[in-house]
Amino acid sequence: MPVELITQVSMVSKFPPFLILFFGCAFLFSTAIQAQGCSDAGVCTVHSFKPNGLDSISELSNQFKVGISYGSADNNISVFGSYLEYGRQFSEKFGIDARLTSLAQSGNDISTFGLSDIFLNSNYRISKKATLTIGFKIPLSDASKMEDGRALPMDYQSSLGTFDLLLGFGYFINKLHLVAAYQQPLTQNNNAFFAEDYPLGSPLRDFQSTNNYIRSGDILLRASYPIDLGQKFRLTPSLLPIYHLANDKYTDKDGMEIEIDGSQGLTLNGNLYLDYYLDEKQALQFNVGSPFIVREVRPDGLTRSFVASLEYRIRF
């Protein structure tokens, strides 16, 4: 067996066995899940909350990213996303990053596209092992898109339409990266979708009504562990539980505020990141994610049974 391959096998064997088992089960059975899956209201992709967030602290102060993603959503909807991100490290302890996102959805003879959100985050390095992050999600849409004079469900909106607070704490235990984060809407959107406004036989009759939609907050935990495969490649499995703190609500035709039963609860996702380092300044990252514990109902349109993304980043 070649020496390099022996070395790689040896490194993989040092990876915590419970995480290997966890991911093996997750990706083996993810294709059998026929329900709501990966859920990201934005906090999951914040730079300092992603695996190895402290990697950005180096002699190079600037970082630029561009990425695209594809997701398989519920109700036969395909979702295409893109983003641009810039990060600046002002000192060894303090940095900021900003991200602009967009989203396109297609399915059931409906296609939509629009700018989504701007994420502004500040990161403070407490120590070599710990960081604090505070940020905001600023919506570029109020989730009020319509089709033929009727409001569309959240599944076809490019943004949740909420202004959100983001808080997070990251900590390293040797190579294991742990993150705890909180995302709370401070405002709500202007969605006015009623499923009953659509004719019998329309697939949109089966969607959850979200008129005057009130979305609750989320708590996220992430555990990730990088495995270096030679000098050019890094493989990083990640476990991502997200707990939606309360049932969401909407207002019915009679003006009554209704709780959406089953919208509170846990989603547990698995992610696998593969980084390819082009040189000391540039890298490509491929990421694939899928769920294996899901919530019963997700009216926010964030349903993903599978998502994959490709990112290019450069430091300067």
Side-chain angles (χ1 to χ4, degrees):
M1 185 179 292
V3 173
E4 183 178 356
L5 181 58
I6 293 174
T7 302
Q8 292 178 6
V9 171
S10 176
M11 286 186 294
V12 173
S13 67
K14 296 178 182 179
F15 188 68
F18 79 94
L19 287 183
I20 294 176
L21 178 61
F22 213 52
F23 276 96
C25 294
F27 288 100
L28 180 63
F29 295 110
S30 63
T31 56
I33 294 175
Q34 303 296 322
Q36 290 91 347
C38 297
S39 172
D40 180 18
V43 70
C44 305
T45 52
V46 169
H47 173 71
S48 58
F49 300 158
K50 291 174 65 177
N52 308 304
L54 289 180
D55 278 357
S56 62
I57 300 174
S58 68
E59 294 180 359
L60 301 173
S61 299
N62 301 281
Q63 182 168 247
F64 176 76
K65 298 180 182 181
V66 58
I68 56 173
S69 65
Y70 167 78
S72 177
D74 205 5
N75 301 301
N76 299 312
I77 298 174
S78 296
V79 181
F80 299 87
S82 62
Y83 61 88
L84 298 172
E85 182 176 318
Y86 171 72
R88 169 76 178 179
Q89 197 69 31
F90 291 99
S91 67
E92 183 179 328
K93 289 186 174 293
F94 179 72
I96 63 170
D97 55 81
R99 172 185 289 229
L100 171 66
T101 61
S102 67
L103 205 62
Q105 295 110 320
S106 180
N108 304 303
D109 297 322
I110 298 174
S111 295
T112 60
F113 170 78
L115 293 176
S116 302
D117 304 282
I118 295 174
F119 293 86
L120 298 176
N121 307 292
S122 60
N123 310 302
Y124 181 74
R125 188 182 186 190
I126 303 170
S127 68
K128 292 182 178 181
K129 295 184 176 182
T131 56
L132 283 175
T133 296
I134 181 170
F136 297 95
K137 180 181 78 70
I138 304 167
L140 299 177
S141 165
D142 61 0
S144 63
K145 286 182 180 177
M146 304 182 74
E147 178 90 357
D148 298 328
R150 290 186 289 256
L152 287 170
M154 291 299 298
D155 305 67
Y156 292 100
Q157 306 295 336
S158 59
S159 169
L160 292 174
T162 59
F163 183 90
D164 293 3
L165 170 68
L166 311 175
L167 298 172
F169 175 75
Y171 191 78
F172 279 87
I173 302 175
N174 295 322
K175 295 177 70 175
L176 179 65
H177 187 201
L178 302 175
V179 170
Y182 172 62
Q183 179 168 358
Q184 176 61 48
L186 302 179
T187 67
Q188 299 296 337
N189 65 34
N190 292 322
N191 189 261
F193 171 70
F194 284 109
E196 55 264 44
D197 286 346
Y198 285 81
L200 293 174
S202 169
L204 272 65
R205 292 277 298 197
D206 297 327
F207 285 59
Q208 171 63 52
S209 295
T210 47
N211 178 58
N212 291 334
Y213 181 50
I214 299 177
R215 188 178 191 277
S216 300
D218 298 286
I219 290 178
L220 168 149
L221 299 174
R222 169 174 262 146
S224 59
Y225 190 96
I227 307 168
D228 291 322
L229 305 176
Q231 295 182 343
K232 290 286 188 179
F233 289 94
R234 172 180 286 179
L235 186 68
T236 307
S238 171
L239 297 177
L240 182 62
I242 304 170
Y243 190 82
H244 199 56
L245 293 172
N247 282 329
D248 297 336
K249 301 176 182 179
Y250 79 101
T251 302
D252 68 11
K253 292 277 190 178
D254 296 324
M256 298 290 292
E257 190 172 85
I258 307 297
E259 278 199 7
I260 303 172
D261 291 336
S263 54
Q264 178 183 5
L266 176 69
T267 301
L268 181 58
N269 309 295
N271 291 89
L272 192 64
Y273 296 84
L274 179 63
D275 291 277
Y276 174 62
Y277 296 94
L278 302 170
D279 55 37
E280 293 182 354
K281 298 180 179 180
Q282 302 177 85
L284 294 173
Q285 183 182 81
F286 177 72
N287 169 30
V288 61
S290 190
F292 52 103
I293 293 178
V294 299
R295 280 191 283 147
E296 182 181 347
V297 178
R298 185 174 298 109
D300 49 26
L302 297 179
T303 297
R304 304 289 184 270
S305 60
F306 168 84
V307 64
S309 64
L310 180 65
E311 175 185 277
Y312 167 77
R313 66 180 183 268
I314 182 171
R315 296 173 180 169
F316 54 96

